[in-house]
Amino acid sequence: MTVGVLGAGALGQLLAHQLIEHGLPAHLLTRPGGQPETLPHQLIGLDGQTRQAELPRHPSDRPNPLSLVLVLTKAHHCLEALAPLMTWLPNSVPVVLLHNGLGPQFEAPKRWPTHSWWAGSLTDGALRLAPRQVRHTGQGVRRAGPLGPDAPIPPALATLGFESDPDILAALWQKLTVNLVINPLTARDRVPNGALLKAAYQPEIAALCQEITALGQALGYPEPAEAVRDRVLTVAQATAANRSSMLQDVEAGRPTELPAITGYLLAEARRLELPCPHHRRLMASLAPA
């Protein structure tokens, strides 16, 4: 049966291409109200070779025999994008949330409690060169786990290289700790990730990591601030030439995932009465004028 990919950005197209390469049919789930169509898409792989595939595009409000749904929208579009799909999707079909940040991973199961919810992360690099042309720029780590009772990983996810992680929320928290520093700083200063390795950034990075650590402790994710900082700097070095997704959104004039990243941290900090002045100032610096 077909895998539905909701969110046809760079990562969504990358996974759709890879599903087809493994012999699994995939549909890009598009905005409601449109017509089904099949269009040519190109993927430039890590080896530099260009592959072309005919990818069906299917409106999300039209019933479709799916075995799995991968959600790769921006976090702030997630619930709105899911709504048409959830009017007809059978409860038994797993839905895997793969966006940055936290928030919808808690809200979606509350809104649609009878469905099978999963969350995951992938650290691959992908760049959309044109509406239907994507370059795979880096192989990453892929993890997924259920948001409800323990369950075996769906076969299509395993085929895509996702590892089963029964404590996926802890893994998402660790990814969030990196995004909390790299994404807003690079977006604010319009710099690639590697710029954050400079000495001038280290005091601010240390202060941000101290606040992350205090919240993590309160949420049940204890680790030293030095571990958070080391993780941030390791990722910044490994992706030194990359421009973060938030920076790309700022440069393109698009809404960013700031509410699901820094906004999530600040909301939890308010709930737990923890001061986070450095993150608050950082978010204010990126707020629309």
Side-chain angles (χ1 to χ4, degrees), residues 255-276:
T256 73
E257 290 185 305
L258 193 66
I261 297 176
T262 305
Y264 173 80
L265 175 138
L266 293 177
E268 290 296 285
R270 283 193 298 272
R271 180 176 67 85
L272 296 166
E273 299 182 349
L274 292 174
C276 289

Side-chain angles (χ1 to χ4, degrees), residues 124-153:
D124 291 70
L127 180 64
R128 185 160 63 171
L129 304 175
R132 301 195 303 277
Q133 184 185 45
V134 170
R135 180 189 296 275
H136 191 188
T137 59
Q139 183 63 54
V141 176
R142 301 178 180 186
R143 298 177 178 175
L147 293 175
D150 194 18
I153 191 166

Side-chain angles (χ1 to χ4, degrees), residues 235-267:
V235 172
Q237 186 169 38
T239 61
N242 289 9
R243 302 178 77 76
S244 72
S245 58
M246 191 175 293
L247 171 56
Q248 293 178 49
D249 287 339
V250 167
E251 290 177 330
R254 298 187 295 258
T256 73
E257 290 185 305
L258 193 66
I261 297 176
T262 305
Y264 173 80
L265 175 138
L266 293 177

Side-chain angles (χ1 to χ4, degrees), residues 3 18 39 45 47 72-73 92 100 114 127 150 173 188 209 244:
V3 177
Q18 292 183 338
L39 297 174
D47 57 4
L72 292 116
T73 65
S92 60
N100 284 331
T114 59
L127 180 64
D150 194 18
W173 170 258
R188 182 193 67 190
C209 290
S244 72

